[in-house]
Each structure stands twice: as C-alpha cells, then as structure tokens.
Amino acid sequence: MNLNIIGYGIYLTLTTIIIYHVGNICYNNGNIFIKHLLKKDIALSFQINKLLLIGYYLLNIGYSAITIIQWNTINSEIILIETITKKISIIILTIAVLHYSNIYLIKKFIHKLT
Amino acid sequence: MITTKILIGYAIYLPIAIYLTLYVSKTLFKNGKIYMLDIFQGREDIALATNKLFETGFYLLNIGFALLILELQLTSNNYQELIEKLTYKIGGFSIYLGIMLFINLFLFFRGKRKSSALKKQTAHGNL
C-alpha cells in the first residue's frame, strides 16, 4: 500500500488554494489599475479582466493537476513530505516567475494605452 | 533511526523558514506602503495595489525557494550531522532572504528616484 493518494490529495488542495488566492489578489488589484489608468472602455476592461481570471484558473489548476502523472511511488512519510514540497515549490516558483514578468510587461506596454 | 532524525529536521526547518519569510515580508511591505504613497503622490489605492502585488510576488518567490531546498540527506545516525546540515540550510536561506530584501529595497529606491525625476521634469516644464 503506498501513500500516493494522500500525496495527491494534499498537493491538489494546497495548489488550488494558492492559485485561487493569488488569482484573486491580482484580479482585484488589476481592477484598481484599470480604474486609474484607462480612460475609455472601463466596463469592457473589467469584463476582460474577469475572463482572464477564469482562464488563469483553468490553465494553472489544469497544469498542476497534469503533472501528477510523473510522480514516483511514495513508500514512506519522508518521501511523501519531500515529493509534496518539491512539486508545490515548482508550481509556486512558476507562478512567481509569471507574476514578475507580468509586472515587467505591464510596465513596458502601459504607455501605449494611455 | 536516521528517518526520525530527518523528520525532526523537516519539522524544525519548515516553521522557521515560513516564519522568517512572513516576518521579513510583513516588515518590508508595511514600511513600503509609505514609500509607495510617496512615489504615487497620494493616490492611495494605486499605491496600496502596487504594494500588494510586490508583496505577493515576494511571498511566492521566497516560499517557493524555501520548499525547493527542503531535502535533507543524513549519512550517519547522530544528531551532530543533523544539527550541522540543518543550521547550514537555515543560514543559507536567511542569507538568500537578506539578498531578496535588499533587491526589493533597491527597487523601491529606484522607483522613488524615477518619480522625483519625473516630478522635477514636469515642474520645469510648467515654468
């Protein structure tokens, strides 16, 4: 009997929670930026922001779920802790890299909009 | 047993690492709000929003790194090696946190410098 299923459960729960919260923080602050920086088509931008949030959920939760296929067999609790932390850290670091590159791209292209 | 020592090591490392990132991040971005308010010249909600975004990025980066370096290998069954490897890992993570803190401080200062240069430019342009 191996502990893979417990690992899958913990990993999926934690990843979904993290993706949901980071997504909502970026969505809410994005709305604040839209209100301040765009002068026309504000309502349309709010809807686009909401759609982007839903797309972000789907992509990220889907990607973090797909990587389950590559897990090795987990036989003891120590390997369980190590595998879960390694997989979660890969997801968190990917989200961090995308987050900072979003900030950079927005800073670069915001002048073309206003 | 080696496995119980490794478990003790993980149980010590994880809370310390997560507590350190939470503490550094809260301090940095609590005081960073004042910088942001200054850079954005009183537009409070944009300042808070930028602060929150940088804080989220900081959390993600540091917690991701703390979890990445968690793995501990023990070759001999004594506490000495556990303490040595554990303190090496926690020390290395603290140094990394300090470097991240300084990079973020540098970004704050650079933003302040650019905004005051912009302010001086528009003031001269109005004269």
Side-chain angles (χ1 to χ4, degrees), chain A residues 11-107:
Chain A
Y11 167 76
L12 283 177
T13 326
L14 285 178
T15 343
T16 324
I17 292 178
I18 292 176
I19 290 177
Y20 177 75
H21 281 299
V22 169
N24 271 26
I25 288 180
C26 290
Y27 169 72
N28 288 330
N29 293 328
N31 273 350
I32 295 181
F33 276 117
I34 289 176
K35 221 171 27 170
H36 271 263
L37 296 178
L38 292 182
K39 298 298 183 278
K40 51 177 194 163
D41 298 330
I42 290 191
L44 177 65
S45 307
F46 281 157
Q47 310 282 32
I48 295 182
N49 199 16
K50 185 79 177 173
L51 281 177
L52 284 175
L53 174 68
I54 309 257
Y56 159 90
Y57 282 158
L58 288 175
L59 265 177
N60 281 317
I61 296 182
Y63 175 73
S64 72
I66 266 193
T67 57
I68 278 190
I69 260 191
Q70 297 160 343
W71 283 37
N72 296 325
T73 323
I74 301 177
N75 292 319
S76 71
E77 288 91 11
I78 289 196
I79 302 188
L80 178 73
I81 296 180
E82 286 175 0
T83 319
I84 291 182
T85 50
K86 198 181 332 176
K87 303 295 180 183
I88 290 188
S89 80
I90 295 179
I91 298 280
I92 291 182
L93 285 176
T94 316
I95 295 183
V97 163
L98 290 175
H99 186 86
Y100 279 121
S101 64
N102 271 341
I103 293 181
Y104 172 69
L105 287 174
I106 289 179
K107 189 175 93 88

Side-chain angles (χ1 to χ4, degrees), chain B residues 34-52:
Chain B
I34 313 206
Y35 260 101
M36 288 292 179
L37 278 174
D38 191 25
I39 293 180
F40 286 103
Q41 289 133 14
R43 287 178 289 175
E44 186 177 337
D45 37 3
I46 269 205
L48 286 182
T50 328
N51 196 28
K52 190 72 172 174

Side-chain angles (χ1 to χ4, degrees), chain B residues 22-83:
Chain B
L22 283 180
Y23 174 66
V24 169
S25 157
K26 286 205 159 75
T27 316
L28 177 63
F29 290 103
K30 189 165 59 132
N31 296 318
K33 272 190 202 171
I34 313 206
Y35 260 101
M36 288 292 179
L37 278 174
D38 191 25
I39 293 180
F40 286 103
Q41 289 133 14
R43 287 178 289 175
E44 186 177 337
D45 37 3
I46 269 205
L48 286 182
T50 328
N51 196 28
K52 190 72 172 174
L53 281 182
F54 275 120
E55 182 177 351
T56 319
F58 190 78
Y59 270 131
L60 285 173
L61 202 56
N62 290 325
I63 293 188
F65 191 74
L67 292 182
L68 190 66
I69 63 176
L70 175 100
E71 262 191 55
L72 204 54
Q73 310 278 6
L74 284 184
T75 54
S76 60
N77 193 14
N78 50 6
Y79 279 108
Q80 173 185 347
E81 198 184 350
L82 171 69
I83 295 182

